[in-house]
Amino acid sequence: MKTIDDLATEGVAGKRVFVRADLNVPMDGTTITDDGRIRAVAPTIAKLAGLGAKVIVASHLGRPKGAPDPAFSLAPAAERLGEILGQAVAFATDTVGESAASVVAGLADGQVAVLENLRFNAGETSKDDAERGAFADRLAELADLYVGDGFGAVHRKHASVYDLPRRLPHAAGDLIATEVGVLKKLTEDVKRPYTVVLGGAKVSDKLAVIDELLGKADRLLIGGGMAYTFLKAKGYEVGISLLQEDQIPTVTEYMERAAKNGVELVLPVDVLVSADFPDLKTKAPADFETVDADKIPSDKEGLDIGPKSRELFASKIVDAETVFWNGPVGVAEHPDYAGGTTAIAQALLDSTGFTVVGGGDSAAAVRNLGFDESKFGHISTGGGASLEYLEGKTLPGLAALED
């Protein structure tokens, strides 16, 4: 696929360049709580502006219902982008309407504009090719060139991700080029031992990637809410912990296959449990106890891996040559249940191997827990996209960028 450097050789000065970014940042009202994705795409935007392009940035935010909703406005993200770039950023209050046309028409060479949330138009996410294509046609009227740099959305067959680059000369942005390069290190000629840490709430969200990794990873560490389905499959009492009973047969088969393939599948040996889910708003002190993983009381819920599990998991990480981590291993938003996730992050830092934090909640946790991002090998901007790439799926947004 072409890169921005290829576009620069051909010349972008004075041209309208549509950048499909991923500004889908977590918000508390109108306050951005983690600007990692904005900072990640800013160098691509700055590079194009520096080359004299008229840069039109577009993204989604959240899941509005195909119509304008002030709760999902990209205005705060546009303001933050301007602060990071150190220049004024114009903002269109629609995607393909009068405001967008006027704002784009008013751009001088080297200036930047952000369009309102793409998902305010039903055509962006439509499963109907014609409806999606019609929206892409209108977006295409705004630009001369397309740059795909919203890695967090490349697994979606959406108008701005899949259909639009098929209508304009296109290239991959620097962020996508970096993300794909990292993922190739996790799938092609991997340096071993290769340790994968998977957390998060639902085991069903990770079944496909576990299935694929059972033939590729050397060690598979399972934490978070998804671990309790594995523990239940071993015959343990899990109390009122998160549990997907319908997945127990699949999980049992995975454990058997891991043993057969020589893959070390590591589960928590102790957990922090409580009868009450923690208050994530005030983060009031939690009432918990630490128990062995096979001794969870019937009236309590597992909310983090325990001290022995933290040591065990860390030992499987620090000597690995390649480490991929996706998903917190506890309720990391609360300080009393962030110890396990903190231990995982620290173990990645202590490893001398190539370490990748696989986007989403794990990337946010690293930042929120105060770790230095630059110390990790790579922090991905797309958790879902990373997982689907590791599953071996064809990602529509990447396929559309191929020549």
Side-chain angles (χ1 to χ4, degrees), residues 45 197 279:
I45 296 167
V197 187
D279 186 334

Side-chain angles (χ1 to χ4, degrees), residues 165-177:
R166 301 169 74 192
R167 287 160 167 76
L168 293 171
H170 52 263
D174 290 347
L175 176 59
I176 276 188

Side-chain angles (χ1 to χ4, degrees), residues 35-44 84 149 174-175 179 379 381:
D35 67 357
R37 284 176 168 163
I38 302 175
R39 287 186 288 108
V41 76
T44 290
I84 293 169
D149 216 30
D174 290 347
L175 176 59
E179 293 273 15
I379 297 182
T381 56

Side-chain angles (χ1 to χ4, degrees), residues 51-180:
L51 291 168
K54 300 172 181 179
V55 187
I56 306 151
V57 182
S59 175
H60 71 285
L61 176 70
R63 297 178 182 272
K65 304 299 184 183
D69 183 339
F72 297 102
S73 175
L74 275 173
E79 182 180 355
R80 180 63 184 135
L81 176 62
E83 293 170 354
I84 293 169
L85 294 175
Q87 70 178 82
V89 169
F91 181 67
T93 56
D94 56 26
T95 54
V96 291
E98 292 182 6
S99 179
S102 175
V103 166
V104 171
L107 288 175
D109 294 0
Q111 290 188 333
V112 179
V114 173
L115 305 181
E116 185 54 284
N117 194 334
L118 289 162
R119 291 186 182 176
F120 284 1
N121 190 304
E124 169 68 1
T125 60
S126 176
K127 295 186 183 303
D128 180 84
D129 290 349
E131 183 180 13
R132 213 176 52 245
F135 182 49
D137 287 339
R138 296 188 67 189
L139 289 172
E141 293 173 2
L142 297 172
D144 305 304
L145 302 170
Y146 177 95
V147 170
D149 216 30
F151 180 72
V154 293
H155 58 313
R156 306 296 188 192
K157 193 176 182 181
H158 291 170
S160 66
V161 176
Y162 177 75
D163 301 274
L164 184 56
R166 301 169 74 192
R167 287 160 167 76
L168 293 171
H170 52 263
D174 290 347
L175 176 59
I176 276 188
T178 297
E179 293 273 15
V180 171

Side-chain angles (χ1 to χ4, degrees), residues 43 95 120 191-192 219 315 334:
T95 54
F120 284 1
K191 292 185 178 180
R192 299 183 182 279
R219 302 163 180 163
S315 71
H334 193 283

Side-chain angles (χ1 to χ4, degrees), residues 6-79:
D6 295 320
L7 291 183
T9 300
E10 297 167 6
V12 297
K15 293 185 178 179
R16 301 169 301 164
V17 180
F18 188 104
V19 177
R20 200 336 178 160
D22 181 9
L23 308 181
N24 184 31
V25 291
M27 307 279 291
D28 183 1
T30 59
T31 301
I32 297 170
T33 58
D34 178 9
D35 67 357
R37 284 176 168 163
I38 302 175
R39 287 186 288 108
V41 76
T44 290
I45 296 167
K47 188 174 185 178
L48 288 165
L51 291 168
K54 300 172 181 179
V55 187
I56 306 151
V57 182
S59 175
H60 71 285
L61 176 70
R63 297 178 182 272
K65 304 299 184 183
D69 183 339
F72 297 102
S73 175
L74 275 173
E79 182 180 355

Side-chain angles (χ1 to χ4, degrees), residues 199-337:
K202 295 182 178 179
V203 69
S204 56
D205 293 341
K206 306 284 171 67
L207 287 177
V209 75
I210 293 173
D211 184 55
E212 185 71 16
L213 289 169
L214 286 174
K216 294 183 177 178
D218 299 301
R219 302 163 180 163
L220 193 53
L221 282 50
I222 306 292
M226 61 186 289
Y228 300 100
T229 301
F230 281 85
L231 293 174
K232 184 71 172 180
K234 287 174 68 72
Y236 296 171
E237 168 66 58
V238 297
I240 57 173
S241 304
L242 282 174
L243 175 65
Q244 291 185 281
E245 271 195 271
D246 60 322
Q247 301 299 336
I248 288 177
T250 302
V251 163
T252 300
E253 191 272 325
Y254 283 177
M255 290 192 291
E256 292 171 351
R257 184 142 52 96
K260 181 180 178 181
N261 292 352
V263 176
E264 192 176 0
L265 198 154
V266 183
L267 299 175
V269 293
D270 62 343
V271 295
L272 272 58
V273 299
S274 176
D276 298 305
F277 194 81
D279 186 334
L280 299 180
K281 275 290 184 184
T282 66
K283 294 181 172 54
D287 179 20
F288 65 87
E289 63 176 316
T290 303
V291 300
D292 289 343
D294 61 350
K295 294 182 173 60
I296 298 175
S298 61
D299 62 343
K300 294 191 175 181
E301 177 179 11
L303 296 165
D304 194 12
I305 61 172
K308 290 186 289 186
S309 299
R310 296 169 195 175
E311 289 185 14
L312 173 63
F313 280 32
S315 71
K316 305 298 182 182
I317 293 171
V318 293
D319 68 341
E321 288 296 323
T322 305
V323 185
F324 174 76
W325 169 35
N326 181 279
V329 295
V331 185
E333 304 96 315
H334 193 283
D336 289 334
Y337 300 113

